[in-house]
């Protein structure tokens, strides 16, 4: 874990953006297409911690970006080149554009100034989406990555962020995956090699210095 001073230096509110990954009702909500993942996100406290981080970002002037995965009813443009995509097509809850399933899930509150980026393809919330261009226009240098899942989208986001030149910060208790013991192992043995791993409380402590974005 970094020292408070090191983390505080990374988390300058002017150049920091908080990214929530697939924290949508059809993934982590009560009517999830992936009930095991939804239960883990809630029972572990990860979803609650994402909501705390979003609230803290709103207070401190840190930009929030919500990355949402969805598909058209006709599936046009969606990937079919992996077992995961083909399995998703058969799930009883579909992440259809405009549906309740693709709304950001409570207790996360979306503010007017938040950006919501929706993608119709792929595994990454960054690669092939608007996120990188938005981050650069916002003057982002540090990206806080939160959400689900530790199995696929979170490591994709962290690797993409690092490859694009951003410093990634991962609050380990604001990330969830299945099974429960996979997430800490993946963070320790993989993400810790390329990202700064911290906790929700540590990040909130560093963000608690209100400054407006220029």
């Amino acid at each position: 874990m970094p020292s408070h001073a090191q983390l505080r230096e990374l988390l300058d509110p002017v150049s920091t953006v908080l990214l929530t990954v697939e924290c949508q009702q059809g993934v982590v909500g009560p009517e999830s297409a992936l009930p095991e993942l939804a239960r883990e996100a809630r029972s572990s406290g990860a979803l609650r911690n994402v909501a705390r981080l979003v609230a803290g970002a709103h207070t401190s002037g840190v930009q929030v970006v919500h990355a949402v995965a969805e598909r058209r009813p006709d599936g046009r443009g969606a990937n079919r080149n992996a077992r995961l995509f083909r399995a998703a097509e058969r799930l009883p809850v579909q992440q259809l554009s405009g549906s309740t399933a693709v709304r950001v899930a409570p207790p996360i509150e979306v503010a007017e100034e938040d950006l919501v980026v929706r993608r119709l393809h792929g595994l990454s919330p960054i690669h092939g989406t608007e996120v990188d261009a938005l981050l650069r226009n916002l003057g982002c240098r540090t990206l806080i990555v939160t959400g689900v899942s530790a199995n696929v989208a979170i490591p994709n986001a962290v690797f993409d962020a690092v490859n694009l030149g951003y410093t990634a910060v991962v609050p380990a208790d604001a990330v969830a995956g299945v099974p429960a013991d996979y997430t800490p192992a993946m963070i320790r043995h993989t993400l810790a090699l390329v990202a700064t791993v911290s906790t929700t409380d540590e990040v909130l402590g560093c963000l608690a210095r209100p400054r407006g974005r220029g």
Side-chain angles (χ1 to χ4, degrees):
M1 292 285 187
S3 69
H4 179 78
Q6 291 170 325
L7 190 61
R8 185 178 173 87
E9 184 176 357
L10 287 178
L11 296 177
D12 181 346
V14 174
S15 57
T16 296
V17 172
L18 172 65
L19 177 70
T20 76
V21 178
E22 296 181 25
C23 291
Q24 57 204 72
Q25 294 196 35
V27 176
V28 296
E31 304 298 322
S32 172
L34 304 164
E36 183 183 3
L37 177 59
R39 283 193 298 270
E40 179 59 25
R42 291 176 175 275
S43 65
S44 68
L47 186 61
R48 182 175 63 253
N49 284 332
V50 174
R52 292 175 59 211
L53 287 164
V54 169
H58 291 159
T59 299
S60 61
V62 167
Q63 180 67 54
V64 179
V65 177
H66 304 281
V68 173
E70 58 183 49
R71 59 184 285 119
R72 288 167 49 110
D74 61 8
R76 192 176 297 272
N79 288 66
R80 293 182 177 84
N81 58 333
R83 186 176 67 177
L84 176 65
F85 301 122
R86 296 191 294 273
E89 292 178 350
R90 300 190 296 271
L91 292 173
V93 177
Q94 294 290 306
Q95 314 298 317
L96 298 180
S97 302
S99 70
T100 300
V102 297
R103 294 178 186 169
V104 175
I108 299 169
E109 294 188 4
V110 181
E112 184 177 355
E113 64 268 22
D114 292 1
L115 298 173
V116 180
V117 178
R118 303 179 181 277
R119 78 178 193 275
L120 293 171
H121 63 87
L123 299 170
S124 174
I126 298 179
H127 178 72
T129 73
E130 297 178 275
V131 170
D132 179 39
L134 293 174
L135 295 180
R136 294 189 187 282
N137 288 346
L138 291 164
C140 176
R141 296 181 62 187
T142 299
L143 185 66
I144 306 170
V145 180
T146 67
V148 299
S149 74
N151 305 78
V152 178
I154 293 298
N156 263 268
V158 172
F159 290 142
D160 285 346
V162 172
N163 285 332
L164 289 167
Y166 303 104
T167 296
V169 172
V170 178
D173 55 355
V175 170
V178 290
D181 58 358
Y182 175 75
T183 300
M186 187 279 296
I187 291 174
R188 178 180 179 183
H189 297 292
T190 301
L191 297 190
L193 301 177
V194 295
T196 297
V197 178
S198 62
T199 67
T200 294
D201 286 344
E202 288 171 341
V203 170
L204 288 173
C206 292
L207 295 183
R209 45 179 178 180
R211 291 172 60 179
R213 183 178 294 276

